[in-house]
């Protein structure tokens, strides 16, 4: 095994998770002459395992296998935030893990995340209330003005694990649905648009921010990201970087914001990883977010985050992917497919980047 | 196995050869959701095998293993022209092979290649003479005006297997060195510069030409390619496409030219594959040559070959690669490394693409 940063070409980056984000990280690492080793329980034909140099198939809480895995890697990262915190902490004792286990712990629990962003980083979020029981929910709802969004603290994504509550009469139904989980109630904030920013921070604390992006969701799933966002808000970069400083973050992180009617921003959530709203960077003429993350994790200097032209990224969800032949024919469109077999409803199968002329 | 063109995402492209060209083909295929299976005798840690979905380790003339390999692929191609012709013909009987075995046969023998380009495609080449014995050489030298370049007909690359003969007295020494091989004597033509063009041709006969590129060699190895070439010569595209039509070529092909003092072009050689002088396409904002080749081989529509900006590609040869930290720090430079362990003298370790502002 090689030691010391920056990791020289030929070194191996271990990645927890074998979805499309791991796949695109593996492809970016290969471009730089770095190897990747995927750890996941999803089989050799899962998106990242298909293209990585090595693959270990095991459950994330199988620490014996995690130990063996880390012995074959020079540095570690993850492509999703639901790696068990215990696994991350154990792995970090074996080899450098970026972003740190602490970043993961903060980001994988909506309550911890909101508390950290608000209290430690001093960055605004929607008002929120911890909910352990029906009484908490009732009181929280009253405090937030009678409406709110009830969410599971962990494992929610793409709108899963959340219920909107419009008045007290809806408490029973919401509790029926989510009462078995640890919950957070968030104020229902009217916003004018959703924007996000992807930033990287190196091991030396150097930062590189991509421009602000405007996101449109459909059925709670990201549909398009337009980069740069039509109206920039200089403050997004500062807010995101405040959070990253407070976390002593290393790697790429996405920060999602709601823009309120007065033009101010509150953080919706952070993702301690490469992010769907950063896929546009692959075809914008700058260092893409995947290479940027690999550079940070390997202790390399960060690349240039400034795009040469605008891009609109559109996700291919479920059967959208069946249109691949027409998309492949579009003149200024770059097609990215993830190697998933079944185009199930709601499943992210690929994306396209359309260059803005 | 899937059948019929275009091959849908999830199909497998078999590639003979496991060097850097195969590696970059595999990475481009993965982006499109296509799998790759590498066939080579160079081991699982060779550049393409590292990143492909599957790898078969066998000698190129092991036809039993070739048969097994083709059964696991939906279409076939190669990353270098020294695949044995017999292997290519055998493989083509099992699965679609592009470019065809005939293209390979023509291109892997300098004499056949020159005869084809000159006689079948009607495209100018330097005057040449077949050399089977010392008498042929003597007579050929006289016919070409007393000087020439004696080359092996097969397996020459990067200046290997050739000797310049300046007068009859040098015949003995040249024969001593190369007399064991089948040879060709080519006229020694004074030229003002070396240019090349990479073009693609689809299964439907549709063509896509990248702009002309100017190449500078050092020690017989490509050093830089500047794209687009400072002075374009419209004729290069036509000449290259004439050759491709005559070959009924499918895939990406590079045509290398010498530009003579009067501005006319003669073909130096063709490469029936992706080519070092097309690496700049990876960071030029167009469909890159690797994806373009995969598209052609899979029967997909060809992508857009028109760059958004200029690029200078510089090869990293041998110990050049040790400068990777400084290169990674350059603002508008994209670094590509091939995963080779030993930076031996003359070995292509990677390349950089510098964006022209």
């Amino acid at each position: 095994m090689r030691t010391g940063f920056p990791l020289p070409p030929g070194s191996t980056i271990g990645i927890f998770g074998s979805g499309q984000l791991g796949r695109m990280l593996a492809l970016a690492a290969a471009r730089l002459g770095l190897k990747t080793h995927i750890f996941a329980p999803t089989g050799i034909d899962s998106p990242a395992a298909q293209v990585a140099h090595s693959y270990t198939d095991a459950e994330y809480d199988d620490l014996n296998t995690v130990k063996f895995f880390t012995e074959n890697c020079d540095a570690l990262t993850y492509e999703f935030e639901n790696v068990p915190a215990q696994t991350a902490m154990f792995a970090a004792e074996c080899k450098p893990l970026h972003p740190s286990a602490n970043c993961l712990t903060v980001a994988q629990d909506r309550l911890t995340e909101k508390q950290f962003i608000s209290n430690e980083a001093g960055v605004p979020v929607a008002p929120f209330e911890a909910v352990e029981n029906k009484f908490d929910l009732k009181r929280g709802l009253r405090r937030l003005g009678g409406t709110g969004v009830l969410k599971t603290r962990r494992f929610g994504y793409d709108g899963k694990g959340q219920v909107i509550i419009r008045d007290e009469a809806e408490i029973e139904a919401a509790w029926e649905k989510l009462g078995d989980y640890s919950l957070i109630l968030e104020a229902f904030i009217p916003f004018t648009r959703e924007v996000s920013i992807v930033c990287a921070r190196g091991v030396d604390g150097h930062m590189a921010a991509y421009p602000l992006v405007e996101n449109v969701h459909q059925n709670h799933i990201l549909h398009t990201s337009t980069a740069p966002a039509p109206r920039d808000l200089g403050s997004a970069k500062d807010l995101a970087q405040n959070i990253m400083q407070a976390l002593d973050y290393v790697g790429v992180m996405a920060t999602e914001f709601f823009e309120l009617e007065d033009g101010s921003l509150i953080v919706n959530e952070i993702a301690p990883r490469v992010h769907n709203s950063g896929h546009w960077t692959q075809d914008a003429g700058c260092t893409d977010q995947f290479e940027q993350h690999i550079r940070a994790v390997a202790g390399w200097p960060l690349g240039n985050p400034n795009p040469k032209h605008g891009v609109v990224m559109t996700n291919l969800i479920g059967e959208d992917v069946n249109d691949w032949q027409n998309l492949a024919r579009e003149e200024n469109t770059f097609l990215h497919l993830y190697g998933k077999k079944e185009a199930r409803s709601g499943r992210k199968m690929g994306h396209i980047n359309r260059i803005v002329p």
Side-chain angles (χ1 to χ4, degrees), chain A:
Chain A
M1 290 294 95
R2 296 160 190 274
T3 51
F5 283 114
L7 295 180
S11 305
T12 298
I13 313 258
I15 302 174
F16 288 101
S18 188
Q20 66 268 18
L21 301 179
R23 179 183 178 95
M24 292 184 276
L25 285 169
L27 295 176
R31 227 159 46 213
L32 298 178
L34 292 162
K35 297 185 177 180
T36 47
H37 187 152
I38 304 294
F39 186 107
T42 46
I44 189 75
D45 208 34
S46 50
Q50 286 177 20
V51 301
H53 297 70
S54 312
Y55 173 67
T56 294
D57 192 89
E59 296 298 328
Y60 292 117
D61 58 4
D62 174 354
L63 297 187
N64 283 330
T65 308
V66 169
K67 178 149 184 52
F68 176 79
F69 166 69
T70 63
E71 283 164 2
N72 287 283
C73 299
D74 300 296
L76 305 169
T77 189
Y78 42 88
E79 60 132 33
F80 77 126
E81 56 271 41
N82 292 324
V83 177
Q86 205 199 345
T87 299
M89 285 185 280
F90 176 77
E93 282 172 22
C94 306
K95 286 287 160 65
L97 172 75
H98 295 299
S100 70
N102 179 50
C103 297
L104 186 79
T105 310
V106 166
Q108 68 188 185
D109 180 320
R110 286 184 198 280
L111 181 64
T112 320
E113 176 182 309
K114 288 245 161 24
Q115 285 168 336
F116 184 91
I117 293 171
S118 172
N119 304 338
E120 307 295 321
V123 169
V125 298
F128 60 92
E129 297 285 337
V131 173
E132 288 299 329
N133 51 50
K134 236 190 281 187
F135 173 76
D136 288 345
L137 176 54
K138 215 163 175 174
R139 184 181 55 186
L141 200 65
R142 231 172 289 138
R143 283 192 189 156
L144 298 182
T147 63
V149 189
L150 187 64
K151 299 179 177 178
T152 57
R153 282 169 55 177
R154 295 170 56 94
F155 300 118
Y157 71 99
D158 290 349
K160 289 176 173 63
Q162 41 184 285
V163 176
I164 295 176
I165 304 181
R166 286 182 190 77
D167 62 56
E168 251 184 56
E170 293 180 357
I171 284 181
E172 281 304 324
W175 196 256
E176 189 72 20
K177 198 169 166 200
L178 299 179
D180 288 345
Y181 302 92
S182 286
L183 300 167
I184 179 174
L185 183 70
E186 297 176 12
F188 191 71
I189 302 279
F191 57 87
T192 54
R193 59 173 184 160
E194 295 175 64
V195 293
S196 63
I197 193 164
V198 171
C199 300
R201 188 164 176 271
V203 284
D204 58 358
H206 180 78
M207 299 250 208
Y210 292 99
L212 189 74
V213 167
E214 184 170 316
N215 300 317
V216 174
H217 288 74
Q218 278 183 357
N219 305 318
H220 298 286
I221 303 174
L222 183 64
H223 174 49
T224 61
S225 293
T226 299
R231 266 179 307 112
D232 192 9
L233 300 157
S235 57
K237 178 181 160 184
D238 295 336
L239 297 176
Q241 295 194 341
N242 286 349
I243 299 170
M244 292 172 85
Q245 297 273 20
L247 285 167
D248 195 15
Y249 195 95
V250 173
V252 158
M253 187 180 101
T255 309
E256 291 183 51
F257 300 92
F258 294 134
E259 183 182 346
L260 308 187
E261 279 161 10
D262 65 359
S264 67
L265 293 174
I266 60 171
V267 170
N268 176 32
E269 62 181 22
I270 58 172
R273 52 170 168 85
V274 289
H275 191 254
N276 199 163
S277 73
H279 290 1
W280 64 273
T281 57
Q282 293 175 307
D283 298 300
C286 53
T287 300
D288 77 40
Q289 67 163 348
F290 302 99
E291 177 173 332
Q292 195 73 295
H293 187 72
I294 293 292
R295 281 172 173 250
V297 170
W300 288 34
L302 298 181
N304 180 358
N306 301 310
K308 300 257 178 312
H309 44 71
V311 178
V312 178
M313 187 288 307
T314 305
N315 270 333
L316 304 177
I317 308 291
E319 295 188 345
D320 291 353
V321 75
N322 296 340
D323 199 31
W324 64 272
Q325 285 193 61
N326 290 320
L327 297 170
R329 205 168 279 120
E330 280 188 24
E331 183 140 343
N332 282 305
T333 296
F334 293 86
L335 181 59
H336 299 263
L337 300 177
Y338 304 153
K340 297 181 184 176
K341 268 186 203 135
E342 296 161 51
R344 287 199 301 269
S345 162
R347 195 175 202 203
K348 290 177 178 170
M349 301 299 294
H351 67 274
I352 50 169
N353 286 327
R354 287 195 175 101
I355 305 306
V356 177

